[in-house]
Amino acid sequence: MGLLECCEGLFGTSNLYQVLGVEKEASEAEIRRGYYKVSLQVHPDRVPDNEQATEKFQVLGKVYAILSDKEQRAVYDEQGIVDEESDTLRQDRSWDEYWRLLFPKITVDDIKAFEAKYKGSEEEASDVRKSYMDHKGNMDRIMVSVLCCTYEEEPRIREIIEKAIAAGELPTFDAFTNEPEKKKAARKRQANREKREAEKMTKDMGLVDDEDSLKALIQKRQKSHEQETDSFLADLEAKYCKKGGKGRAGKKGKK
């Protein structure tokens, strides 16, 4: 199955720009950022042992490799096709390694600094509004997709959405305005369960400070992986990663 067919089957569209959530006129930086944000949702470190997520991650890498290559992007823009035989799309490529080359890891201190700047900003509000539209008011999905968002901050997230609705910036979705109390309670139970599990791991490992507690949570989320990675930290790299991050965009496709 070709790349465009895979995109149609996995993402509901064969438009490579739509797959990454960007416009056709998007700059290289916007395409990179789009790839980052979408791929984080299905990265193997974040969604382990999920075949469809892994397949989506691999396809996203191919999509980015095409759109980040000026020549191949031009061919796609003009003819709507991709060179399936190009080195860029070769089957033996490790898309996880490709991702790691593009996006270097950040530290816990970086996260703290980012959170302080991001929370309450217009960028956060914009992301919340977009998530509301993407998920049609489903708060379960909104709370998962918005960066740096914990259950305790749900009232603040709701307020951002309600203000936007009142201002006519967002439509009303029944899933949001008439969310059942049972669903809210289930979300609270899930958040409390995750918090208890993280606290137990912190205690069991003899960790004491906030940074070590965060590391404990990261390790718990990655218990099925042997390789030391930071999937939780990666949730913030889409916003924080420096534009100067080095990595290859892939080799040129064959003509």
Side-chain angles (χ1 to χ4, degrees):
M1 185 181 295
L3 177 60
L4 300 184
E5 293 175 298
C6 287
C7 288
E8 181 69 42
L10 293 171
F11 301 99
T13 178
S14 60
N15 185 308
L16 301 188
Y17 294 101
Q18 290 181 8
V19 169
L20 298 187
V22 300
E23 300 294 331
K24 182 177 180 180
E25 298 75 19
S27 66
E28 292 181 12
E30 289 171 332
I31 290 175
R32 178 188 177 97
R33 179 184 174 118
Y35 167 53
Y36 215 171
K37 295 183 72 172
V38 177
S39 63
L40 281 174
Q41 304 305 314
V42 292
H43 192 285
D45 291 342
R46 183 172 184 178
V47 192
D49 304 321
N50 186 311
E51 291 184 7
Q52 186 180 64
T54 299
E55 186 177 2
K56 284 185 175 181
F57 180 77
Q58 293 171 345
V59 169
L60 287 169
K62 295 178 180 181
V63 170
Y64 176 72
I66 292 294
L67 295 184
S68 62
D69 184 293
K70 291 182 179 180
E71 293 182 16
Q72 294 201 54
R73 181 180 180 182
V75 171
Y76 174 72
D77 287 348
E78 293 172 7
Q79 304 178 39
I81 61 174
V82 297
D83 182 0
E84 301 287 351
E85 301 300 321
S86 70
D87 289 342
T88 299
L89 302 183
R90 67 181 186 274
Q91 295 299 311
D92 61 344
R93 181 173 220 166
S94 171
W95 295 105
D96 185 36
E97 291 180 7
Y98 176 70
W99 194 91
R100 294 293 178 190
L101 285 172
L102 285 169
F103 307 118
K105 294 181 182 179
I106 57 176
T107 67
V108 173
D109 286 339
D110 288 333
I111 289 178
K112 292 178 179 179
F114 169 78
E115 285 190 79
K117 181 179 179 181
Y118 179 71
K119 289 184 177 180
S121 68
E122 174 53 34
E123 184 176 17
E124 180 194 46
S126 177
D127 286 345
V128 170
R129 293 192 294 268
K130 183 178 185 304
S131 181
Y132 174 82
M133 291 299 297
D134 289 346
H135 302 300
K136 300 187 185 304
N138 185 318
M139 281 301 292
D140 285 346
R141 296 183 179 181
I142 292 171
M143 293 300 293
V144 170
S145 65
V146 176
L147 296 179
C148 308
C149 191
T150 63
Y151 173 76
E152 289 75 12
E153 293 175 289
E154 181 170 333
R156 185 174 65 82
I157 300 302
R158 280 187 172 276
E159 183 179 3
I160 292 174
I161 295 172
E162 289 167 352
K163 285 184 177 180
I165 292 175
E169 299 173 356
L170 293 175
T172 57
F173 287 120
D174 187 68
F176 178 78
T177 56
N178 297 310
E179 184 180 31
E181 291 300 321
K182 287 184 177 180
K183 190 174 182 182
K184 294 179 182 178
R187 188 161 55 247
K188 181 178 181 179
R189 288 195 298 272
Q190 176 66 21
N192 289 336
R193 182 163 55 250
E194 290 180 355
K195 184 177 181 179
R196 287 194 301 269
E197 290 173 351
E199 289 174 347
K200 183 178 184 302
M201 175 169 281
T202 299
K203 182 178 179 180
D204 291 345
M205 296 178 67
L207 305 177
V208 293
D209 60 29
D210 290 341
E211 180 170 332
D212 284 340
S213 297
L214 178 57
K215 289 178 179 178
L217 180 57
I218 293 170
Q219 290 180 27
K220 178 185 179 300
R221 291 185 176 188
Q222 298 170 344
K223 60 184 178 181
S224 63
H225 288 262
E226 297 178 358
Q227 189 178 15
E228 183 182 354
T229 54
D230 293 322
S231 64
F232 182 64
L233 303 186
D235 289 347
L236 298 178
E237 290 181 8
K239 294 284 185 182
Y240 197 86
C241 183
K242 298 178 178 60
K243 292 182 179 180
K246 296 183 178 180
R248 295 182 302 169
K251 297 180 181 180
K252 304 294 183 182
K254 296 178 182 178
K255 293 296 184 179

